[in-house]
Amino acid sequence: MPAFTFFIDNTEYSGNSRQLLACVTELRSMNYTVAVGVLGRETPWSILLADSGAVVSHFNSKGFWDIKALFKLRKWLQQIPSDFLHLISLNALDAVGLASPSFVSKSFLSGIPDTRFRPNAWRKILLAKVRKIFCLTLASKNRLQTLGIPASKVAHLPPGISPQNVPQSLAPLSEMPYLLSSGPFHHDFNHRDALWCMDILHYVKPEIKLFLTGTGADLNSLHSFRAALMTKEFIRFTGTVDFLEPWLANASIILATNLTPGGYYSALEAMLSGKPLITSNTLGMAEFVEDGKTAVLYAPGERAELAKRIRLLLDDPARGAEIAHNARESAESRFSPKHHVAKLLQYYDDYK
């Protein structure tokens, strides 16, 4: 049987980590040998990867120019038996490009940013060498082609995830009704839509709170934005969470307002949770949901519209339950790990 190797920059909770676990679990169920290299430290998701049957190696990198970690990575790449090397994230591509450039031409790449992605000169060189670049949406595929990446090198690979079984002891302590928005928080101003709409919503729904889970480069800016809005009592940051399922299960509505690929995974997590979803009306998101049937869409940047749609959904729980039911059926039938891996294997077969 073929051996598969995945390399990811870190396994902190993210859409990339979740997709990797779903992919590895499905491949192991098919009796494939799977190895996973992690540039960063061990996390609970690393343990889940090992429990699924993958051989997981960590390089504990402390930064981009950590020579010791790059040396370990180079040695690992040379020793691990693999028919296919799959890199997950641009940071993973950068690391392989520094540690062992010859492996870039043997690699597949996924986990790249979406509409705002503009590669620098270094990354243009690396992207030109990889075998295939996988995009979550047709919109992102078209975007890469406008940047000069040949159509033959870009492929559409929709995500495929499943709910995780986690201990009930991890359930949130809060019993109040709340909205949920999850990170990582990159420099994506649409996370501010969720905060800003609370400046409107708390006047008509003072019992509702907003929880934001995760961390990221824009977290301090979001804290400052909350302070400027003077809505601290209505908006709470939880910090890093290892598992999102308990938070999803107890939420009233899930918000996916960010425009990065993480927003697609946030949307799928909401759909699988059986909770109603409100998300940004973008070209990419339109490939995942249908407005009024599997989600409620709003125009990015329109905070008043977002607040109105939240209020209407809170006032009509029957409609929210119907949307959530439709969304779960759609996610399970269209975005399962089985479908994701089947399409991935088709692409791999082209390079046997």
Side-chain angles (χ1 to χ4, degrees):
M1 297 289 284
F4 296 89
T5 297
F6 295 87
F7 178 61
I8 189 170
D9 55 336
N10 71 77
T11 52
E12 299 289 344
Y13 180 82
S14 68
N16 284 341
S17 296
R18 184 151 199 164
Q19 182 61 80
L20 175 58
L21 177 61
C23 193
V24 168
T25 302
E26 185 66 24
L27 286 170
R28 288 295 300 140
S29 73
M30 301 166 69
N31 295 319
Y32 288 111
T33 299
V34 182
V36 176
V38 183
L39 189 61
R41 63 180 179 83
E42 183 179 79
T43 69
W45 283 78
S46 302
I47 297 171
L48 289 177
L49 285 167
D51 289 344
S52 71
V55 178
V56 183
S57 302
H58 295 84
F59 308 116
N60 300 310
S61 175
K62 296 179 175 61
F64 186 74
W65 294 106
D66 188 331
I67 302 301
K68 184 177 180 181
L70 292 175
F71 180 78
K72 289 180 179 178
L73 171 58
R74 178 184 177 88
K75 187 176 181 180
W76 177 77
L77 287 169
Q78 293 172 341
Q79 292 179 346
I80 199 94
S82 179
D83 299 287
F84 305 101
L85 175 61
H86 193 138
L87 310 179
I88 302 177
S89 83
L90 286 172
N91 289 336
L93 175 64
D94 290 340
V96 172
L98 289 171
S100 191
S102 63
F103 277 86
V104 173
S105 61
K106 304 175 184 178
S107 304
F108 299 85
L109 175 66
S110 62
I112 64 172
D114 200 50
T115 54
R116 299 184 182 185
F117 172 57
R118 289 181 174 83
N120 56 30
W122 160 255
R123 283 179 171 167
K124 284 181 179 179
I125 294 172
L126 297 179
L127 289 172
K129 292 181 178 180
V130 298
R131 286 178 168 179
K132 188 77 78 174
I133 303 169
F134 297 128
C135 300
L136 295 177
T137 66
L138 291 172
S140 59
K141 177 184 176 183
N142 294 336
R143 167 65 178 165
L144 287 182
Q145 291 176 212
T146 64
L147 295 175
I149 298 175
S152 60
K153 193 177 284 289
V154 185
H156 178 217
L157 181 64
I161 61 174
S162 57
Q164 296 297 313
N165 294 320
V166 299
Q168 289 299 312
S169 60
L170 295 176
L173 297 177
S174 173
E175 295 182 358
M176 68 183 73
Y178 64 86
L179 314 173
L180 181 68
S181 181
S182 60
F185 303 112
H186 302 297
H187 294 293
D188 170 14
F189 287 99
N190 278 70
H191 271 300
R192 299 189 180 190
D193 285 357
L195 277 71
W196 208 327
C197 79
M198 292 300 295
D199 191 40
I200 304 169
L201 197 63
H202 80 269
Y203 288 107
V204 292
K205 295 289 182 180
E207 73 280 8
I208 288 289
K209 312 299 178 187
L210 170 65
F211 283 83
L212 296 103
T213 63
T215 185
D218 202 40
L219 185 59
N220 289 337
S221 175
L222 292 175
H223 275 279
S224 299
F225 189 64
R226 180 186 64 173
L229 292 174
M230 295 185 289
T231 54
K232 186 175 182 179
E233 62 181 295
F234 301 104
I235 301 171
R236 303 184 184 183
F237 294 91
T238 70
T240 301
V241 297
D242 293 325
F243 302 100
L244 198 61
E245 268 75 14
W247 293 90
L248 292 165
N250 289 277
S252 301
I253 296 174
I254 315 297
L255 306 180
T257 62
N258 51 322
L259 301 180
T260 62
Y264 302 139
Y265 285 108
S266 295
L268 283 183
E269 287 170 335
M271 294 167 75
L272 288 168
S273 73
K275 296 292 181 174
L277 166 69
I278 299 180
T279 186
S280 307
N281 188 7
T282 63
L283 286 175
M285 195 61 75
E287 298 177 34
F288 289 86
V289 299
E290 182 179 347
D291 189 23
K293 184 175 181 180
T294 58
V296 173
L297 300 180
Y298 83 101
E302 295 295 332
R303 291 91 176 185
E305 179 190 352
L306 175 58
K308 179 180 179 180
R309 294 186 183 281
I310 292 171
R311 180 182 63 80
L312 290 174
L313 211 52
L314 289 171
D315 288 342
D316 191 350
R319 178 171 178 253
E322 181 183 1
I323 289 174
H325 174 76
N326 294 338
R328 184 161 195 165
E329 286 191 340
S330 175
E332 290 176 343
S333 63
R334 297 173 57 210
F335 302 106
S336 69
K338 187 173 184 178
H339 290 161
H340 177 87
V341 168
K343 193 162 187 178
L344 185 63
L345 290 175
Q346 288 178 3
Y347 289 127
Y348 285 164
D349 284 343
D350 294 337
Y351 291 88
K352 277 186 176 179

